[in-house]
């Protein structure tokens, strides 16, 4: 052992800055060593460790509702391309990995998206309070941006928001 801090649930919980989050709740998860659901300004982000010795995964799936999915699918291809470009640009601004998936969790083209997963992995040798909080803020920003995709579509299509 290299004198590395063991990533216990208690330690990880302590690292989450309660000045920046509204809540940290353990989630029952048969597929994880531990799973915390962190609430930050109305957005929920998971901090999960899937296996002992494995990375911390900071992430969330954002499901688009029917209205959003139908609108994306029905967009003019050029405008949909512009929307995809803006979404990618926002997601690439954070050190996260992301993917567009269908209901079964399979990767799909943007026009078939059901939900977007956004995650950042923190490997044990880099795990610390600062890297965890950076990851939480990065995932939060990405989800926040995706949450506002309807306004983005309005801006791209030049339509006024529904009243």
């Amino acid at each position: 052992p290299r004198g590395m801090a063991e990533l216990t649930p208690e330690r990880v919980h302590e690292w989450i800055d309660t000045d920046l989050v509204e809540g940290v709740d353990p989630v029952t998860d048969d597929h994880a060593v531990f799973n915390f659901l962190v609430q930050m300004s109305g957005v929920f982000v998971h901090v999960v460790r899937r296996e002992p010795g494995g990375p911390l995964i900071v992430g969330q799936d954002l499901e688009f509702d029917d209205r959003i999915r139908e609108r994306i699918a029905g967009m003019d291809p050029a405008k949909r391309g512009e929307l995809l470009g803006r979404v990618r640009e926002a997601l690439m601004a954070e050190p996260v990995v992301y993917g567009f998936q269908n209901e079964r969790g399979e990767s799909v083209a943007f026009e078939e998206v059901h939900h977007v997963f956004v995650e950042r992995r923190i490997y044990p040798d880099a795990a610390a309070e600062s890297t965890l909080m950076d990851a939480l803020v990065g995932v939060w920003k990405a989800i926040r941006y995706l949450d506002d995709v309807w306004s983005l579509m309005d801006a791209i299509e030049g339509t006024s928001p529904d009243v």
Side-chain angles (χ1 to χ4, degrees):
R2 292 171 296 174
M4 204 163 61
E6 184 45 44
L7 287 179
T8 61
E10 296 74 21
R11 181 178 299 272
V12 171
H13 193 291
E14 276 171 23
W15 282 345
I16 298 169
D17 185 341
T18 50
D19 289 342
L20 290 181
V21 306
E22 285 92 69
V24 182
D25 295 300
V27 176
T28 304
D29 184 340
D30 296 337
H31 304 289
V33 179
F34 58 83
N35 184 344
F36 291 115
L37 187 60
V38 180
Q39 185 180 357
M40 297 177 72
S41 304
V43 172
F44 289 94
V45 179
H46 285 274
V47 177
V48 187
R49 190 171 205 191
R50 292 267 169 239
E51 62 239 8
L56 283 178
I57 300 168
V58 178
Q60 185 55 291
D61 283 354
L62 181 75
E63 187 178 318
F64 287 147
D65 64 26
D66 293 345
R67 196 173 73 121
I68 290 173
R69 294 200 304 267
E70 284 162 18
R71 187 168 176 191
I72 290 172
M75 282 179 97
D76 169 80
K79 290 196 186 310
R80 187 170 53 232
E82 187 183 338
L83 176 64
L84 175 58
R86 291 214 208 165
V87 165
R88 279 205 169 123
E89 195 178 324
L91 293 171
M92 297 298 278
E94 297 302 326
V96 295
V97 292
Y98 67 91
F100 306 123
Q101 297 184 328
N102 63 16
E103 290 92 333
R104 294 182 300 282
E106 300 158 341
S107 292
V108 292
F110 184 61
E111 59 265 25
E112 297 166 37
V113 68
H114 173 268
H115 64 269
V116 183
F117 81 85
V118 179
E119 71 175 40
R120 180 152 163 208
R121 290 172 177 242
I122 302 170
Y123 294 92
D125 61 345
E129 187 170 3
S130 58
T131 49
L132 177 57
M133 289 311 300
D134 285 352
L136 275 167
V137 170
V139 171
W140 175 84
K141 281 181 174 171
I143 294 292
R144 227 1 200 237
Y145 186 85
L146 290 168
D147 240 352
D148 200 30
V149 73
W150 190 267
S151 305
L152 195 56
M153 288 190 275
D154 285 342
I156 288 168
E157 293 188 321
T159 51
S160 57
D162 293 341
V163 180

